[in-house]
């Protein structure tokens, strides 16, 4: 695997990575889940991580999020302090309003105004005082996205955030996430089982197998991305790396 190229500032100098992992390993019950992973993510880079169930994807994300205390591990991880996590389920507090969920834990004088802007950005203006159980699954996930972005994170970690949504809602969430990411430009790690989702959204796709990164591919396709020769060729390569025949 070749190391990714770093972007350059206008003076032609390489920018420092936003995320850096060196020799990261994690074990559970004597079983190695991450095996000597070393990676750099560039500032503003959108990275998708795909792999079979149990390959170590979520373990890597949780390590970057600092959510793996007590796990046996080695290596060094350098991540921004300002980071947010977007999970597969919205994890909204049912006893708090939509707005209260978005700004929960945000201790700034303009928290409410920022929360209202974040909800407007995800298409939920006017639903600030609604209760979470009054929203559809897609709307709840939009609230979760607003909650993640209202803090203006330098690093956004997304663990299969659209896995439970129907196909049409997933497409709409892809468009929304892509627009908001392009506007705010955080570094993003998206964990997904969906190869098409990875290709449509990411600047770079990683394939993980048995705790190791076995493929590291840039996605050199113009947006918006649809099925064409370049898309199909990359899709076939990634499916082959996953051990899946491209029969679709």
């Amino acid at each position: 695997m070749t190391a990714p190229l770093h972007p350059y500032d206008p003076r032609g100098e390489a920018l420092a990575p936003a995320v850096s992992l060196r020799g990261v390993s994690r074990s559970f019950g004597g079983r190695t889940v991450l095996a000597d992973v070393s990676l750099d993510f560039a500032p503003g880079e959108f990275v998708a991580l795909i792999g079979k169930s149990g390959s170590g994807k979520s373990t890597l994300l949780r390590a970057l999020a600092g959510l793996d205390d007590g796990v046996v591990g080695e290596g060094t991880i350098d991540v921004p302090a300002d980071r947010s996590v977007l999970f597969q389920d919205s994890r909204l507090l049912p006893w708090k309003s939509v707005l209260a969920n978005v700004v929960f834990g945000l201790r700034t004088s303009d928290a409410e105004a920022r929360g209202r802007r974040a909800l407007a950005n995800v298409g939920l203006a006017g639903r600030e005082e609604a209760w979470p159980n009054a929203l559809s699954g897609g709307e709840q996930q939009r609230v979760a996205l607003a909650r993640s972005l209202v803090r203006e994170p330098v690093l956004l970690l997304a663990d299969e955030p659209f896995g439970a949504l129907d196909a049409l809602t997933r497409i709409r969430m892809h468009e929304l996430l892509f627009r908001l990411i392009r506007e705010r430009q955080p570094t993003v790690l998206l964990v997904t089982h969906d190869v098409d989702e990875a290709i449509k959204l990411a600047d770079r796709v990683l394939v993980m197998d048995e705790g190791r990164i076995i493929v590291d591919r840039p996605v050199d396709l113009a947006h918006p991305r649809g099925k064409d020769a370049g898309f199909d060729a990359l899709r076939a390569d990634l499916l082959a790396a996953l051990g899946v025949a491209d029969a679709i």
Side-chain angles (χ1 to χ4, degrees):
M1 180 185 71
T2 58
L5 295 176
H6 295 300
Y8 289 82
D9 70 12
R11 296 169 296 181
E13 298 175 356
L15 297 174
V19 173
S20 182
L21 300 88
R22 292 293 178 268
V24 174
S25 299
R26 294 291 187 270
S27 299
F28 298 92
R31 184 175 73 91
T32 299
V33 182
L34 295 181
D36 194 29
V37 175
S38 294
L39 287 169
D40 288 339
F41 297 168
E45 187 176 29
F46 194 133
V47 180
L49 177 62
I50 61 177
K52 301 173 186 176
S53 295
S55 61
K57 304 184 304 298
S58 292
T59 300
L60 178 61
L61 182 142
R62 291 178 66 85
L64 292 175
L67 297 176
D68 63 348
D69 289 346
V71 176
V72 176
E74 298 178 350
T76 60
I77 299 176
D78 185 10
V79 293
D82 296 330
R83 57 192 188 271
S84 292
V85 183
L86 184 61
F87 295 99
Q88 182 172 354
D89 53 71
S90 63
R91 303 197 178 189
L92 302 181
L93 301 174
W95 58 87
K96 288 185 176 291
S97 69
V98 163
L99 179 60
N101 267 281
V102 169
V103 301
F104 183 71
L106 184 62
R107 295 178 176 84
T108 62
S109 59
D110 63 343
E112 181 175 333
R114 286 170 60 175
R116 290 181 182 277
R117 286 196 300 270
L119 285 169
N121 284 336
V122 300
L124 289 175
R127 304 302 302 277
E128 293 86 355
E129 301 309 318
W131 299 106
N133 62 7
L135 305 180
S136 68
E139 289 173 330
Q140 289 179 17
Q141 201 62 354
R142 279 193 272 164
V143 175
L145 178 58
R147 181 181 57 195
S148 293
L149 294 178
V150 75
R151 289 156 177 77
E152 299 180 356
V154 177
L155 174 63
L156 176 63
L157 302 164
D159 194 0
E160 299 187 61
F162 313 129
L165 303 179
D166 63 81
L168 182 57
T169 304
R170 282 170 69 97
I171 291 171
R172 291 172 175 164
M173 286 297 293
H174 289 167
E175 294 171 349
L176 174 61
L177 177 65
F178 183 79
R179 175 177 63 80
L180 292 174
I181 294 303
R182 284 295 177 261
E183 290 174 359
R184 297 165 183 249
Q185 298 188 335
T187 301
V188 180
L189 175 65
L190 169 68
V191 169
T192 180
H193 281 99
D194 189 331
V195 173
D196 288 5
E197 180 174 88
I199 298 173
K200 286 178 180 178
L201 295 173
D203 303 315
R204 175 180 165 205
V205 180
L206 308 176
V207 180
M208 177 165 273
D209 186 43
E210 296 184 352
R212 299 181 184 276
I213 303 298
I214 61 170
V215 173
D216 185 344
R217 289 283 299 273
V219 184
D220 297 321
L221 301 173
H223 288 284
R225 295 171 181 165
K227 297 294 184 67
D228 57 22
F231 188 106
D232 291 341
L234 179 55
R235 183 176 189 271
D237 287 349
L238 294 173
L239 287 173
L242 292 167
V244 179
D246 186 1
I248 299 176

